[in-house]
Amino acid sequence: MHIVVCVKQVPDTKIIKMNPKTNTMDRSSAPAIMNPYDVYAVEEAVRIKEKYGGTISVLSMGPPPAVSTLKKCVEMGADDTYLISDRRFAGADTLATSYALAEALKKISSEKGEIDLVITGKQTIDGDTGQVGPGIARRLDIPPLTFVQKIKEIDLGNRKISVHRKREDGYEVVESELPCLLAVESGINEPRYAPLPNMIKAARHEPVVWSVDDLEDIDITKLGLKGSPTIVGKVWAPPKSEGAEMIEGSTDEVVARIVDLVMERKELFQDKEVQPS
Amino acid sequence: MDEKFDVIVVGAGPAGTACAYELAKAGLKVIMFERGEYPGSKNVMGGVLYRKQMEEIIPEFWKEAPLERPVVEQRFWMMDEESMVTMGYKGLEWAKEPYNNFTVLRAKFDQWFAQKAVEQGALLINETVVEACIVEDNRVVGVRTDRPDGDVYADVVVLADGVNSLLAKQLGFHKEWRPDEVALAVMEVLKLPSEKIEDRFNLEPDQGCTIEMFGDVTKGILGTAFLYTNKESVNIGVGTTLSGLMKAKIRPYDLLEYVKNHPMVKPLLEGNESQEYAAHLIPEGGYNSIPKIVGNGVVVVGDAAHLVNAIHREGSNMAMASGRMAAETIITAREVNDFSENMLDSYRVRLMDSFVGQDLKKYKDTTHTFEHHPQYFKEYIPMLNRAAGQMFTVDGTPKKQKQKEILRSMTENRGKLGVLQDLYRAWKVMK
Ligand SMILES: Cc1cc2nc3c(=O)[nH]c(=O)nc-3n(C[C@H](O)[C@H](O)[C@@H](O)COP(=O)(O)OP(=O)(O)OC[C@H]3O[C@@H](n4cnc5c(N)ncnc54)[C@H](O)[C@@H]3O)c2cc1C
Ligand SMILES: Cc1cc2nc3c(=O)[nH]c(=O)nc-3n(C[C@H](O)[C@H](O)[C@H](O)COP(=O)(O)OP(=O)(O)OC[C@H]3O[C@@H](n4cnc5c(N)ncnc54)[C@H](O)[C@@H]3O)c2cc1C
């Protein structure tokens, strides 16, 4: 079974600063990390491999420092990693990103072996669109299964997979043929603490790096800024929410203050059923 | 895990990295463990990196290492509450190659240095804690990490795990350090624009200075405070013996606030933005506190071996030198395939014969003496300030009479003989 996971390196948006003049992210103000949702995608691939056997490839599009994210994937249990990196990929929207990734997936498939399963994260923490996964699936003409919160079973003989898709009111059980693409939810697993042999393997690991020229038959006009019809109209930082009151003091003082506050705002704690009948 | 290494290095600070670098360069199969997210991520020091010991490992490192400023001036401030007597040296030969020493930020520097060891062929494993040495038949044969399947074996284990060295303690090489053997230092990195730094400290761009402060800044506790210039920040900190802090019942961060608000210091820091705060122990017991540092299949280097010269705030250089000497010994040991304590002991001998052992021996009684005779910090520095203040105040008193009064006030408390004794004692431990 050949599983390919797509991962993106993103700035840690928990600490990133916004440039107040241009309203864009100051990427140098935050360290680059693996998109947190993609960690679950890699872990899920490792679990599938442990259960059903096979090999795991990881693919990323990004600048050269993304190598460190790919090495993290090897720590978690990936076998091979691929980075497509080229100035001509820069400025891609989800359309251009999923085109480039789909082209790279075709090359991986022809070089390493047919792909049975593509796994992506639910979304990224910097772009937040959640469109890249389905975009890849459409281009490879395979079924996209989004919101996957559990893999129920894989039937390699009949080349079928069934999964639980998250819904607001529960989940639905969906069966699909292989190959297909899964966009997995963060609750799907608990990522492991990497074992030492993998750490050593990762320290020695060198990802395969491809530029645009390494991807034969690629249509350059569909890449990067040129291939991106999306125009981001305006970005702004959300207004800071009203400051909360920090209650300080001894336990007794704090309790007294809380009681006062609750009494002052009784209406907040009244339920609808208290309405006069 | 089945794979075996020639050497395991625990800790990617200056000591461990220097050792791993030399071993890998000589072709040995080295694995280095660092518990931080990356080397230096949690490491701190005042920030003076000495050229000599670094250059012995990487010649002309200043051409590529992430350094802050070459130090062209070293100032010493003897401070009272509202005055100070100063001394210093500024030399522009220090602004030119090969320089004298540099200020550095360890988070950047350690990462760079470790990368150099990786380029030599060392394997660096971050975010991994070594929990214990694996001992078989009275020999250290490997280490146990906190990771699944986390045992790894080697001919020699180098403990470069810093001042607390839990691993050397587990082996019974040393006990918990006594409060008078360690200093507790707290420091802060304060962001300031480079032009402000250059104006306030009278520097050109690409020049830096260091200020060591004694006296009132430690409220009379044995120790020093420091203020060093980086490119776009300054490092300010204060370190005092743990025993002194405990006796004086002062919290270390309160002491740092006191230093930052001292009238001689405050204007230099005006308008800063705090970037980082850290607290760390410094092994300052000196020569008498050096523990057992060699065993079967194991050597201890750097702070873990208690190699710090507190008088000259040298630690990182001793760490590097010890790492390098340990590597040389291991390389020789490998030629004869003998990793016994007996064989590895030539590291200790080499170390003690070098400047490391000799300097620590020279000052072996210094801190002890100052700790037991607080008058040096508590009385003489204020006295010196009063003397200078009186001498330079023009108030119509003849200078001769001033001198007499100064001498009288100096001997008032301890008597002439007492002062002479103090001077002799200080000279003896520093000579
Ligand atoms: C503020 C902002 C707004 C934007 N708005 C839009 C918009 O409205 N429309 C638009 O088309 N683009 C938009 N973009 C650009 C777009 O988000 C990214 O540039 C695009 O490359 C990836 O989309 P994403 O980050 O939203 O990924 P998502 O679609 O959220 O990512 C889903 C999954 O796809 C995989 N993946 C995503 N990127 C990569 C990659 N580079 N390499 C490997 N795997 C990857 C990961 O598994 C990830 O978990 C915006 C960018 C920003 C910063
Ligand atoms: C405030 C302050 C100011 C100083 N100023 C100066 C100065 O100006 N000049 C100077 O030369 N020296 C100075 N020193 C001393 C200097 O910092 C030390 O002597 C030097 O860092 C010692 O290097 P080391 O490699 O032995 O230890 P460290 O630098 O402490 O490195 C030990 C490393 O081991 C890692 N580690 C520890 N335990 C484990 C484990 N179990 N598993 C994996 N990894 C582990 C740690 O994360 C760390 O990276 C100062 C110290 C302090 C605290």
mmCIF file of all heavy atoms in Angstrom, chain B residues 35-59:
data_model
loop_
_atom_site.group_PDB
_atom_site.id
_atom_site.type_symbol
_atom_site.label_atom_id
_atom_site.label_comp_id
_atom_site.label_asym_id
_atom_site.label_seq_id
_atom_site.Cartn_x
_atom_site.Cartn_y
_atom_site.Cartn_z
ATOM 1 N N ARG B 35 18.357 18.089 24.655
ATOM 2 C CA ARG B 35 16.956 18.026 25.080
ATOM 3 C C ARG B 35 16.136 19.192 24.543
ATOM 4 O O ARG B 35 14.926 19.110 24.423
ATOM 5 C CB ARG B 35 16.852 17.950 26.593
ATOM 6 C CG ARG B 35 17.302 19.221 27.255
ATOM 7 C CD ARG B 35 17.157 19.190 28.753
ATOM 8 N NE ARG B 35 17.878 20.365 29.254
ATOM 9 C CZ ARG B 35 18.240 20.544 30.494
ATOM 10 N NH1 ARG B 35 17.976 19.615 31.379
ATOM 11 N NH2 ARG B 35 18.877 21.630 30.865
ATOM 12 N N GLY B 36 16.788 20.326 24.233
ATOM 13 C CA GLY B 36 16.065 21.501 23.736
ATOM 14 C C GLY B 36 15.520 21.274 22.336
ATOM 15 O O GLY B 36 15.901 20.324 21.643
ATOM 16 N N GLU B 37 14.662 22.189 21.920
ATOM 17 C CA GLU B 37 14.081 22.103 20.578
ATOM 18 C C GLU B 37 15.191 22.173 19.530
ATOM 19 O O GLU B 37 15.134 21.540 18.482
ATOM 20 C CB GLU B 37 13.104 23.257 20.410
ATOM 21 C CG GLU B 37 12.209 23.146 19.222
ATOM 22 C CD GLU B 37 11.400 24.416 19.032
ATOM 23 O OE1 GLU B 37 11.173 25.145 20.025
ATOM 24 O OE2 GLU B 37 11.026 24.679 17.886
ATOM 25 N N TYR B 38 16.208 22.957 19.842
ATOM 26 C CA TYR B 38 17.435 22.996 19.041
ATOM 27 C C TYR B 38 18.547 23.436 19.984
ATOM 28 O O TYR B 38 18.265 23.988 21.053
ATOM 29 C CB TYR B 38 17.286 23.958 17.852
ATOM 30 C CG TYR B 38 16.894 25.368 18.214
ATOM 31 C CD1 TYR B 38 17.855 26.304 18.596
ATOM 32 C CD2 TYR B 38 15.565 25.774 18.225
ATOM 33 C CE1 TYR B 38 17.498 27.598 18.955
ATOM 34 C CE2 TYR B 38 15.198 27.065 18.586
ATOM 35 C CZ TYR B 38 16.179 27.968 18.940
ATOM 36 O OH TYR B 38 15.818 29.241 19.308
ATOM 37 N N PRO B 39 19.825 23.209 19.617
ATOM 38 C CA PRO B 39 20.898 23.599 20.536
ATOM 39 C C PRO B 39 20.842 25.097 20.830
ATOM 40 O O PRO B 39 20.699 25.906 19.922
ATOM 41 C CB PRO B 39 22.165 23.252 19.748
ATOM 42 C CG PRO B 39 21.745 22.148 18.839
ATOM 43 C CD PRO B 39 20.331 22.493 18.442
ATOM 44 N N GLY B 40 20.923 25.444 22.083
ATOM 45 C CA GLY B 40 20.910 26.854 22.470
ATOM 46 C C GLY B 40 19.526 27.378 22.786
ATOM 47 O O GLY B 40 19.385 28.481 23.314
ATOM 48 N N SER B 41 18.485 26.599 22.452
ATOM 49 C CA SER B 41 17.127 27.133 22.610
ATOM 50 C C SER B 41 16.858 27.585 24.043
ATOM 51 O O SER B 41 16.082 28.495 24.256
ATOM 52 C CB SER B 41 16.079 26.127 22.152
ATOM 53 O OG SER B 41 16.231 24.905 22.833
ATOM 54 N N LYS B 42 17.499 26.915 25.007
ATOM 55 C CA LYS B 42 17.249 27.338 26.389
ATOM 56 C C LYS B 42 18.528 27.776 27.082
ATOM 57 O O LYS B 42 18.541 28.016 28.279
ATOM 58 C CB LYS B 42 16.626 26.180 27.164
ATOM 59 C CG LYS B 42 15.251 25.794 26.656
ATOM 60 C CD LYS B 42 14.387 25.223 27.762
ATOM 61 C CE LYS B 42 13.072 24.714 27.238
ATOM 62 N NZ LYS B 42 13.169 23.320 26.765
ATOM 63 N N ASN B 43 19.627 27.885 26.339
ATOM 64 C CA ASN B 43 20.893 28.184 26.991
ATOM 65 C C ASN B 43 21.117 29.684 27.121
ATOM 66 O O ASN B 43 20.750 30.449 26.238
ATOM 67 C CB ASN B 43 22.048 27.555 26.202
ATOM 68 C CG ASN B 43 21.946 26.037 26.195
ATOM 69 O OD1 ASN B 43 21.150 25.470 26.927
ATOM 70 N ND2 ASN B 43 22.750 25.399 25.382
ATOM 71 N N VAL B 44 21.715 30.070 28.227
ATOM 72 C CA VAL B 44 21.994 31.491 28.423
ATOM 73 C C VAL B 44 23.401 31.693 28.954
ATOM 74 O O VAL B 44 23.956 30.840 29.617
ATOM 75 C CB VAL B 44 21.032 32.137 29.448
ATOM 76 C CG1 VAL B 44 19.640 32.188 28.908
ATOM 77 C CG2 VAL B 44 21.079 31.446 30.792
ATOM 78 N N MET B 45 23.979 32.818 28.609
ATOM 79 C CA MET B 45 25.133 33.301 29.357
ATOM 80 C C MET B 45 25.232 34.801 29.167
ATOM 81 O O MET B 45 24.548 35.383 28.327
ATOM 82 C CB MET B 45 26.421 32.576 28.961
ATOM 83 C CG MET B 45 27.017 32.907 27.631
ATOM 84 S SD MET B 45 28.562 31.961 27.425
ATOM 85 C CE MET B 45 29.227 32.736 25.971
ATOM 86 N N GLY B 46 26.078 35.405 29.990
ATOM 87 C CA GLY B 46 26.232 36.851 29.936
ATOM 88 C C GLY B 46 26.496 37.275 28.525
ATOM 89 O O GLY B 46 25.883 38.195 27.995
ATOM 90 N N GLY B 47 27.377 36.489 27.911
ATOM 91 C CA GLY B 47 27.516 36.676 26.501
ATOM 92 C C GLY B 47 28.910 36.922 25.996
ATOM 93 O O GLY B 47 29.065 37.282 24.835
ATOM 94 N N VAL B 48 29.954 36.756 26.818
ATOM 95 C CA VAL B 48 31.285 36.973 26.249
ATOM 96 C C VAL B 48 31.877 35.650 25.785
ATOM 97 O O VAL B 48 32.085 34.731 26.569
ATOM 98 C CB VAL B 48 32.232 37.667 27.245
ATOM 99 C CG1 VAL B 48 33.613 37.824 26.622
ATOM 100 C CG2 VAL B 48 31.666 39.022 27.626
ATOM 101 N N LEU B 49 32.131 35.590 24.493
ATOM 102 C CA LEU B 49 32.747 34.409 23.890
ATOM 103 C C LEU B 49 34.214 34.744 23.627
ATOM 104 O O LEU B 49 34.515 35.764 23.008
ATOM 105 C CB LEU B 49 32.056 34.082 22.570
ATOM 106 C CG LEU B 49 32.679 32.911 21.816
ATOM 107 C CD1 LEU B 49 32.139 31.606 22.352
ATOM 108 C CD2 LEU B 49 32.414 33.003 20.324
ATOM 109 N N TYR B 50 35.093 33.891 24.095
ATOM 110 C CA TYR B 50 36.530 34.157 23.953
ATOM 111 C C TYR B 50 37.044 33.598 22.643
ATOM 112 O O TYR B 50 36.723 32.481 22.263
ATOM 113 C CB TYR B 50 37.276 33.570 25.150
ATOM 114 C CG TYR B 50 36.772 34.175 26.432
ATOM 115 C CD1 TYR B 50 35.727 33.589 27.146
ATOM 116 C CD2 TYR B 50 37.282 35.388 26.884
ATOM 117 C CE1 TYR B 50 35.225 34.177 28.292
ATOM 118 C CE2 TYR B 50 36.786 35.987 28.030
ATOM 119 C CZ TYR B 50 35.754 35.370 28.728
ATOM 120 O OH TYR B 50 35.247 35.957 29.859
ATOM 121 N N ARG B 51 37.846 34.412 21.971
ATOM 122 C CA ARG B 51 38.297 34.040 20.636
ATOM 123 C C ARG B 51 39.179 32.796 20.644
ATOM 124 O O ARG B 51 38.998 31.880 19.864
ATOM 125 C CB ARG B 51 39.077 35.201 20.015
ATOM 126 C CG ARG B 51 39.439 34.931 18.588
ATOM 127 C CD ARG B 51 40.830 35.382 18.149
ATOM 128 N NE ARG B 51 41.470 36.334 18.990
ATOM 129 C CZ ARG B 51 42.749 36.227 19.337
ATOM 130 N NH1 ARG B 51 43.458 35.183 18.950
ATOM 131 N NH2 ARG B 51 43.295 37.146 20.093
ATOM 132 N N LYS B 52 40.148 32.785 21.587
ATOM 133 C CA LYS B 52 41.223 31.798 21.519
ATOM 134 C C LYS B 52 40.724 30.344 21.441
ATOM 135 O O LYS B 52 41.073 29.605 20.522
ATOM 136 C CB LYS B 52 42.116 31.977 22.758
ATOM 137 C CG LYS B 52 43.324 31.091 22.817
ATOM 138 C CD LYS B 52 44.431 31.609 21.917
ATOM 139 C CE LYS B 52 45.725 30.847 22.089
ATOM 140 N NZ LYS B 52 45.718 29.574 21.409
ATOM 141 N N GLN B 53 39.895 29.943 22.396
ATOM 142 C CA GLN B 53 39.505 28.525 22.449
ATOM 143 C C GLN B 53 38.564 28.162 21.310
ATOM 144 O O GLN B 53 38.515 27.018 20.876
ATOM 145 C CB GLN B 53 38.858 28.199 23.800
ATOM 146 C CG GLN B 53 39.850 28.091 24.948
ATOM 147 C CD GLN B 53 40.370 29.438 25.395
ATOM 148 O OE1 GLN B 53 39.654 30.426 25.383
ATOM 149 N NE2 GLN B 53 41.637 29.478 25.777
ATOM 150 N N MET B 54 37.828 29.146 20.818
ATOM 151 C CA MET B 54 36.937 28.890 19.687
ATOM 152 C C MET B 54 37.753 28.724 18.417
ATOM 153 O O MET B 54 37.482 27.858 17.589
ATOM 154 C CB MET B 54 35.966 30.078 19.561
ATOM 155 C CG MET B 54 34.910 29.917 18.512
ATOM 156 S SD MET B 54 33.766 28.588 18.896
ATOM 157 C CE MET B 54 33.419 28.008 17.256
ATOM 158 N N GLU B 55 38.781 29.556 18.304
ATOM 159 C CA GLU B 55 39.626 29.556 17.114
ATOM 160 C C GLU B 55 40.403 28.248 16.994
ATOM 161 O O GLU B 55 40.696 27.785 15.896
ATOM 162 C CB GLU B 55 40.603 30.725 17.253
ATOM 163 C CG GLU B 55 41.368 31.091 16.033
ATOM 164 C CD GLU B 55 42.306 32.241 16.363
ATOM 165 O OE1 GLU B 55 42.835 32.291 17.492
ATOM 166 O OE2 GLU B 55 42.507 33.073 15.488
ATOM 167 N N GLU B 56 40.701 27.662 18.153
ATOM 168 C CA GLU B 56 41.435 26.395 18.125
ATOM 169 C C GLU B 56 40.578 25.286 17.514
ATOM 170 O O GLU B 56 41.091 24.263 17.093
ATOM 171 C CB GLU B 56 41.883 26.004 19.539
ATOM 172 C CG GLU B 56 43.149 26.758 19.919
ATOM 173 C CD GLU B 56 43.484 26.671 21.404
ATOM 174 O OE1 GLU B 56 42.779 25.941 22.149
ATOM 175 O OE2 GLU B 56 44.441 27.334 21.804
ATOM 176 N N ILE B 57 39.275 25.497 17.509
ATOM 177 C CA ILE B 57 38.394 24.497 16.908
ATOM 178 C C ILE B 57 38.040 24.904 15.478
ATOM 179 O O ILE B 57 38.195 24.123 14.547
ATOM 180 C CB ILE B 57 37.119 24.334 17.764
ATOM 181 C CG1 ILE B 57 37.530 23.845 19.158
ATOM 182 C CG2 ILE B 57 36.161 23.334 17.128
ATOM 183 C CD1 ILE B 57 36.458 23.995 20.204
ATOM 184 N N ILE B 58 37.586 26.130 15.297
ATOM 185 C CA ILE B 58 37.253 26.611 13.953
ATOM 186 C C ILE B 58 38.039 27.898 13.676
ATOM 187 O O ILE B 58 37.661 28.972 14.157
ATOM 188 C CB ILE B 58 35.732 26.869 13.802
ATOM 189 C CG1 ILE B 58 34.966 25.583 14.113
ATOM 190 C CG2 ILE B 58 35.411 27.372 12.393
ATOM 191 C CD1 ILE B 58 33.463 25.691 13.960
ATOM 192 N N PRO B 59 39.129 27.803 12.938
ATOM 193 C CA PRO B 59 39.930 29.002 12.650
ATOM 194 C C PRO B 59 39.085 30.066 11.934
ATOM 195 O O PRO B 59 38.224 29.728 11.115
ATOM 196 C CB PRO B 59 41.039 28.484 11.734
ATOM 197 C CG PRO B 59 41.090 27.014 11.971
ATOM 198 C CD PRO B 59 39.689 26.604 12.325
#
